[in-house]
Amino acid sequence: MAFSISMLLLLFNCLLLPSYYHFAKAQGGSDQPIVDGLSWNYYDSSCPTLESIVREQLQNVFENDIGQAAGLLRLHFHDCFVQGCDGSVLLDGSASGPGEQAAPPNLSLRAEAFRIIEDLRRRVHNNCGRVVSCSDILALAARDAVFLSGGPDYDIPFGRRDGLNFATINATLANLPPPSSNTAALLTSLATKNFTATDVVALSGGHTIGISHCNSFTDRLYPNQDPIMDQTFANNLKNICPTANSTNTTVLDIRSPNTFDNRYYVNLMNRQGLFTSDQDLYTDSRTRGIVTSFAINQTLFYEEFVSAMIKMSQLSVLTGTQGEIRANCSARNSDNALISSVVGGEKGAWSGF
């Protein structure tokens, strides 16, 4: 049965859908307001080469390691969900306490993703001067991570400023639902940020690329297997993760792990979602139909993903004279000395996003 569902959906998408998508400003943002202080052409005069600098460098990065695309996308999620899209997740800890990077949901953020953002900042500032914020660079890098891994290309508004403070560990925990969350918890949590059920399902589609550590989902395998999980899928996961505390990793999307497409939703229909927060989207009656529609129609998924991403990228942004434009993404301009980053190797995932 699983095979027949997969093949039917694959055939439908191949026959019906084009292989290249671009969502222009009108299509990507006409159904939602743009926050005051942001604009589609914010850097047209001050840094007209911004987008080409970022995209060309990320093309080089992904040619060597496409896995970094998922790392950059997830970094943007973890920035925006906590305290808004202000680049606060990029800040190292300080004398006032540990930064957001020390919170359990962020311990699995890729260390290389932070280095890539800082390298992009250096390239942009060398070319244009210090006029582009780290938070805008992160939002742009996430957009290009989607496109360069096979997803839609779309425009995003710019004009974010960098925050002066990072969120507390408790605030970080409160705003990043763990992968063990069910759909009810996800919908409740994200409704506080004005996300609809469609938004939640679309943003979850970011799991069409990337990897996870075993300890983020082995509660579905040990001591008792989640009966919803496909048995062959479960057996393969047990081979990869022989114990509940295994440090091994596996891909989030078994069908096309490095391509941004709608196969993630096909996985859910076949009971092959990795996290509870993934699979329950197909179990819950409020989101099951949305999952099915995205699995059948990749263009629809792309449209809703773009809409949700543009909405997310404007969460509690700082604009105008608020915040600052950092000269180094890991430290406020007022800091005289950089504190060693608390980000080390990937420690396993926490957030369902």
Side-chain angles (χ1 to χ4, degrees), residues 181-239:
S181 300
N182 59 23
T183 299
L186 289 180
L187 293 179
T188 299
S189 176
L190 271 70
T192 64
K193 305 182 191 302
N194 199 34
F195 287 113
T196 66
T198 299
D199 292 331
V200 172
V201 178
L203 291 175
S204 296
H207 285 172
T208 188
I209 55 175
I211 61 173
S212 170
H213 286 74
C214 290
N215 61 6
S216 295
F217 58 83
T218 47
D219 60 325
R220 301 186 67 204
L221 300 174
Y222 309 110
N224 300 307
Q225 182 185 314
D226 184 343
I228 296 176
M229 187 180 288
D230 173 73
Q231 188 59 55
T232 300
F233 182 58
N235 291 341
N236 290 337
L237 290 178
K238 289 175 182 177
N239 288 331

Side-chain angles (χ1 to χ4, degrees), residues 43-59:
Y43 294 115
D44 281 5
S45 297
S46 61
C47 191
T49 56
L50 168 63
E51 295 194 47
S52 61
I53 292 172
V54 170
R55 178 159 294 187
E56 288 172 10
Q57 177 58 19
L58 288 181
Q59 284 176 322

Side-chain angles (χ1 to χ4, degrees), residues 4 26 38 53 84 89 151-152 168 186 192 202 209 214 232 239 242 255 274 287 328 337 349:
S4 61
L38 300 185
I53 292 172
V89 72
T168 65
L186 289 180
T192 64
I209 55 175
C214 290
T232 300
N239 288 331
R255 284 178 167 76
L274 194 61
T287 49
N328 184 308

Side-chain angles (χ1 to χ4, degrees), residues 321-333:
T321 59
Q322 299 171 318
E324 64 183 7
I325 298 176
R326 292 185 207 139
N328 184 308
C329 290
S330 64
R332 297 171 300 181
N333 292 337

Side-chain angles (χ1 to χ4, degrees), residues 93-114:
S94 69
S96 64
E100 293 172 32
Q101 298 169 20
N106 291 334
L107 294 176
S108 60
L109 294 173
R110 297 187 184 219
E112 184 61 22
F114 292 89

Side-chain angles (χ1 to χ4, degrees), residues 79 99 106 122 126 129 141 155 187 195 236 243 268 277 281 283 285 298 320 341 352:
D79 181 38
N106 291 334
R122 179 183 58 80
N126 283 347
D155 300 292
L187 293 179
F195 287 113
N236 290 337
T243 63
L268 302 189
S277 60
L281 294 173
T283 303
S285 61
Q298 182 165 272
S341 175

Side-chain angles (χ1 to χ4, degrees), residues 66-67 69-71 73-74 77 110 145-147 149-152 201-212 250-268 272-275 278 281 294 298 301-302 305 352-353:
I66 189 60
L73 180 60
R74 188 161 178 256
F77 273 56
R110 297 187 184 219
V146 169
F147 172 65
S149 57
V201 178
L203 291 175
S204 296
H207 285 172
T208 188
I209 55 175
I211 61 173
S212 170
T250 189
V251 296
L252 294 171
D253 175 0
I254 61 173
R255 284 178 167 76
S256 51
N258 294 319
T259 302
F260 195 97
D261 56 23
N262 68 336
R263 299 298 180 266
Y264 162 82
Y265 301 103
V266 178
N267 296 338
L268 302 189
Q272 295 164 336
L274 194 61
F275 301 151
D278 294 322
L281 294 173
F294 289 171
Q298 182 165 272
F301 161 51
Y302 281 175
F305 179 82
F353 291 92

